[in-house]
């Protein structure tokens, strides 16, 4: 485009924007400068003489007649059909251009100026879209060549490019064709400047007579020369080349900046096209080869369940064999059980099956429902492992449409370990949805496959992460994920082993074991040598009784470890780095020890090997030490249920190494100090919210009771997952697990849910208090802690009624026969003060039976005060006066 033409285009577009759209393209000074420049080049320029608006304001969308009708093309759907067309018409060289998936229209030019643009309509009568077209990209409003203004018509496709689509509709809710067509037909012109045209046909008149182009190639070159953007195209010397071009386009269509639905093939020689003529409005010399979306009718003979790597259970239709586009189809996707209900499809029905491009065939509708049809039933358990099934929670946190197996160890799943690898190494950008899509669609089987994704970047970018919205991952996110994966190619031994997702083997544990082994575990080969089966070696590196289990885990991952190394993951030697965010390893010592040692005696040595001493058996505890490791005590039971290792004192001694009895500090202070330092402080922080007894790793329970219903809702955050349980009070209820990328995200989600429940009238109940009422499993009950004898005098009692002390009110007769006063000293020792009234800043109200709705209990709950039993109080204080 010459500078003059460019100036004319800019001026006309700016004028139009100013008069018509109310969205000026530039300020007055800029505009004046353009006119001045044009005036210098061409003092009497016709464009300078244009006055006022380009198009009447009311013309938009009025009916308009095409001066030359817009034809349509015959379609073919397969190579066979295409070759038939080639042979029948003896085509010769072919001009092939991609077929944009947009709306077509024509623009008419007179003496260089765009005078009217008309949508295709029925080919003869369309709608005037001039006002919007003046703002389209790629459509010049002033056209000339070698000083001669252009006269004629240009036909084009109006397209919203993927880039612009993403810009105006980031959630990509509508596909670009619908979004683009919507914009094109807007009366107010809004967003018209986001549309791009791609010209594909031209009628040019020179000196008042139609100009005859010799070939399609010549025509396309002319369009480009005149300043129109044109569709990607190529010249093929024969049918074979055209077939090759089609295949290349079909494979790379997703990399194109626009959505396309096929390739338009035109006999290059226009004379030949004219010779062949037109049938039924369709020129015989042109054909649209559409990507295969052909369909056929067949009978649904059965449904089998196939299992995805993520545990999804997908119904697959078994079809009576049918030919679609040259391939025999015997099965098809039924998506999910909701889709089955929506289609109202049953076994025995006649169905319409389509094979959409490269996607597997799909049943899109039922064509006949015979009387003998059989309903398609949802699986009642996992067909692969027999595990429990349920609906997968979707991104919004609701029940999704996919039925999934809930068994974490289901043989069909490979998501779990990859997820642990990703979370452990902080690979950002791969949430559950993305991971599941990756595993499912890219067929990842283990973490090592992550490192081969670099070569499959296009597939990754193309990954459909929301089928309903047709939302793809996109190149940008794909690149950032690949970069994040790439950044984990060099790992320390602890990162490597600790991220494999093995039981008992997190990063921190590996670090501790390496340092305890004093060089014996510095190399990966040592870990794979079977060394850990040696019980005394295992005990020496802090894993008594589980060494063999860890070794089994490592051995079972042998193939994956090799695969990771082969994929280029390397292990950097040298000292392992400790990470502060790592959860502490914990040990709980319970009951009287045979040696006569106190718990506190073990505190220092345990700390030295990275373990903290805690008082409670809870999820995440690493070891419970009991005098009798085989004990069937409730504590031991609970520990086993939670997967906590129960060990003997002898094993503990092995674990802490060359241990010599330390001076015991004080017989009385330590236990209570531990309790002051660790537990109540946490509770203090929590009690500001309405969550007084919330203890990490144990479920919080909420109940809602009115005339009609009595239901409960429990939430528990375990590592990165949020476990929710709900149902009628008195029954076990339904469980749902939702996983997050980080513990923090899981916690936040749980907090949000709690907030919602409270808003909906649920009341938090203290765990244990309702145990008699509901028959829920024992999980949430605080473990009965063996009373520790406490003498108040020897405790460092905080000052009475210190302003920061939390208040506890004990009301009514206590079941134990203890008096209120008996609790005063232990409460003080633990930083609480005993008060007589239920007040707003009360931490706990202690009642003989917290369940009934006494007025005092009512008031307490209203104030957000936790109502607890005497037993709970004792647990809280670790004491029994
Ligand atoms: Zn299963």
């Amino acid at each position: 485009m010459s500078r003059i033409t460019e100036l004319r285009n800019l001026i006309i577009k700016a004028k139009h924007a100013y008069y018509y759209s109310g969205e000026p393209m530039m300020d007055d000074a800029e505009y004046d400068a353009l006119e001045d420049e044009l005036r210098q080049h061409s003092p009497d320029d016709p464009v300078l003489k244009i006055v006022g608006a380009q198009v009447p304001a009311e013309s938009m969308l009025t009916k308009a007649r095409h001066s030359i009708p817009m034809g349509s093309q015959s379609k073919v759907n397969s190579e066979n059909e295409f070759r038939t067309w080639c042979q029948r018409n003896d085509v010769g060289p072919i001009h092939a251009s991609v077929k944009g998936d947009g709306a077509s229209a024509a623009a008419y030019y007179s003496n260089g100026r765009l005078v009217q643009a008309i949508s295709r309509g029925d080919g003869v009568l369309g709608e005037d879209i001039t006002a919007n077209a003046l703002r389209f990209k790629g459509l010049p409003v002033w056209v000339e060549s070698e000083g001669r203004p252009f006269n004629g018509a240009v036909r084009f496709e109006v397209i919203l490019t993927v880039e612009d689509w993403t810009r105006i509709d980031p959630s990509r809710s509508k596909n670009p064709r619908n979004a683009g067509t919507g914009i094109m037909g807007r009366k107010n012109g809004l967003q018209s400047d986001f549309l791009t045209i791609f010209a594909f046909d031209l009628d040019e008149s020179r000196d008042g007579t139609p100009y005859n182009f010799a070939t399609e190639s010549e025509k396309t070159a002319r369009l480009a020369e005149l300043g129109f953007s044109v569709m990607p195209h190529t010249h093929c010397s024969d049918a074979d080349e055209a077939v090759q071009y089609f295949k290349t386009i079909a494979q790379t269509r997703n990399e194109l900046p626009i959505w396309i639905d096929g390739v338009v093939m035109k006999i290059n020689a226009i004379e030949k096209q004219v010779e062949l003529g037109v049938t039924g409005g369709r020129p015989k010399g042109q054909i649209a080869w559409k990507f295969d979306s052909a369909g056929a009718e067949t009978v649904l003979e059965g449904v089998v369940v196939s299992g995805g790597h993520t545990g999804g259970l997908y119904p697959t239709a078994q079809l009576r064999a049918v030919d679609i586009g040259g391939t025999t189809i015997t099965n098809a996707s039924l998506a999910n059980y909701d889709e089955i209900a929506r289609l109202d499809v049953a076994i025995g029905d006649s169905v319409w099956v389509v094979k959409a491009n490269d996607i597997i065939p799909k049943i899109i509708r039922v064509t006949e429902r015979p009387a003998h049809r059989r309903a398609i039933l949802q699986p009642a358990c996992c067909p692969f492992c027999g595990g429990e099934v349920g609906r997968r929670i979707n991104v919004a946190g609701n029940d999704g449409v996919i039925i999934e197996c809930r068994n974490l160890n289901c043989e069909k799943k490979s998501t779990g370990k990859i997820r642990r690898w990703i979370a452990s190494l902080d690979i950002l950008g791969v949430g559950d949805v993305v991971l599941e899509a990756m595993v499912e669609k890219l067929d990842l089987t283990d973490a090592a496959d992550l490192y081969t994704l670099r070569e499959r970047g296009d597939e990754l970018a193309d990954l459909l992460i929301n089928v309903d919205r047709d939302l793809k991952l996109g190149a940008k996110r794909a690149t950032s994920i690949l970069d994040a994966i790439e950044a984990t190619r060099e790992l320390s031994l602890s990162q490597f082993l600790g991220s494999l997702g093995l039981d008992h083997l997190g990063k921190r544990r590996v670090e501790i074991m390496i340092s305890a082994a004093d060089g014996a575990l510095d190399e990966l080969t040592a870990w794979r040598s079977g060394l850990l089966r040696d019980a005394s070696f295992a005990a020496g590196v802090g894993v008594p009784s589980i060494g063999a289990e860890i070794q089994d885990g490592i051995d079972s991952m042998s193939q994956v470890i090799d695969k990771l190394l082969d994929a280029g993951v390397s292990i950097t030697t040298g000292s392992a780095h400790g990470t502060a965010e790592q959860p502490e390893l914990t040990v709980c010592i319970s009951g009287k020890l045979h040696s006569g040692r106190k718990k506190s005696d073990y505190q220092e040595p345990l700390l030295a090997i990275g373990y903290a001493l805690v008082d409670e058996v809870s999820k995440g505890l690493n070891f419970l030490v009991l005098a009798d490791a085989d004990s069937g005590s409730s504590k031991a039971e609970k520990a086993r249920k939670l997967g906590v290792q129960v060990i003997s004192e002898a094993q503990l001694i092995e674990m802490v190494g060359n241990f010599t009895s330390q001076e015991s500090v004080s017989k009385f202070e330590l236990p209570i100090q531990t309790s002051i330092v660790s537990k109540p402080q946490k509770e203090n922080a929590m009690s500001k919210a309405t969550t007084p007894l919330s203890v990490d790793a144990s479920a919080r329970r909420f109940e809602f009771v009115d005339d009609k219903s009595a239901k409960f809702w429990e939430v528990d955050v375990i590592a990165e997952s949020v476990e929710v349980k709900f149902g009628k009070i008195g029954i076990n209820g339904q469980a749902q697990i939702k996983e997050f990328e980080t513990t923090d995200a899981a916690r936040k989600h749980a907090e949000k849910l709690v907030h919602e429940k409270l808003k909906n009238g649920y009341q938090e109940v203290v765990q244990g208090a309702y145990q008699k009422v509901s028959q829920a499993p024992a999980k949430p009950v605080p473990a009965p802690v063996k009373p520790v004898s406490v003498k108040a005098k020897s405790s460092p009692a905080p000052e009475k009624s210190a302003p920061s002390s939390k208040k506890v009110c004990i009301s009514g007769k206590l079941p134990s026969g203890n008096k209120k006063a008996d609790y005063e000293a232990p409460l003080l020792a633990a930083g609480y003060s005993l008060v007589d009234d239920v007040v707003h800043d009360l931490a706990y109200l202690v009642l003989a039976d917290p369940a009934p709705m006494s007025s005092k209990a009512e008031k307490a709950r209203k104030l957000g005060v936790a109502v607890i039993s005497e037993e709970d109080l004792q647990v809280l204080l670790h004491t029994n006066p």
Side-chain angles (χ1 to χ4, degrees), residues 87 291 347 384 406 409 430 668 694 736 836 838 867:
Q87 274 154 22
F291 297 124
I347 295 161
F384 306 100
R406 294 270 165 84
N409 300 315
V430 191
F668 302 112
S694 173
Q736 285 177 344
D836 289 325
V838 176
V867 184

Side-chain angles (χ1 to χ4, degrees), residues 493 497 510 513-524 526-527 529 531-532 537 541:
L493 192 51
L497 288 169
V510 175
M513 288 170 71
I514 290 174
S515 79
D518 212 14
L521 287 177
D522 280 358
E523 300 289 336
L524 179 63
W527 288 81
S529 69
L531 204 54
L532 292 166
F537 179 82
V541 294

Side-chain angles (χ1 to χ4, degrees), residues 757-799:
K757 287 293 157 194
L758 292 172
K759 232 172 64 187
N760 292 337
Y762 276 74
Q763 302 227 327
E764 180 154 17
V765 292
V766 175
Q767 291 300 338
Y770 268 38
Q771 216 48 46
K772 292 153 221 137
V773 181
S774 82
Q775 288 142 28
K779 185 182 82 174
V781 194
V785 175
K786 237 185 197 161
V788 176
S789 182
V790 173
K791 299 221 167 33
K793 265 174 264 166
S794 56
S795 327
E799 286 195 25

Side-chain angles (χ1 to χ4, degrees), residues 54-77:
Q54 305 302 293
V55 283
E58 294 311 308
S59 66
M60 185 66 196
L61 298 186
T62 53
K63 290 283 175 211
R65 186 172 294 271
H66 289 279
S67 52
I68 306 164
M70 287 184 78
S72 51
Q73 284 146 338
S74 299
K75 289 168 185 64
V76 294
N77 284 307

Side-chain angles (χ1 to χ4, degrees), residues 550-562:
I550 291 176
Q551 191 70 63
D552 286 346
I554 293 171
D555 292 355
S556 75
M557 290 297 275
S558 194
Q559 239 182 320
V560 177
I561 293 173
D562 287 338

Side-chain angles (χ1 to χ4, degrees), residues 311 313 382-388 405-407 409-413:
L313 301 173
C382 173
F384 306 100
C385 70
E388 200 185 316
C405 168
R406 294 270 165 84
N407 173 10
N409 300 315
C410 179
E411 66 202 63
K412 276 279 167 185
K413 293 186 185 179

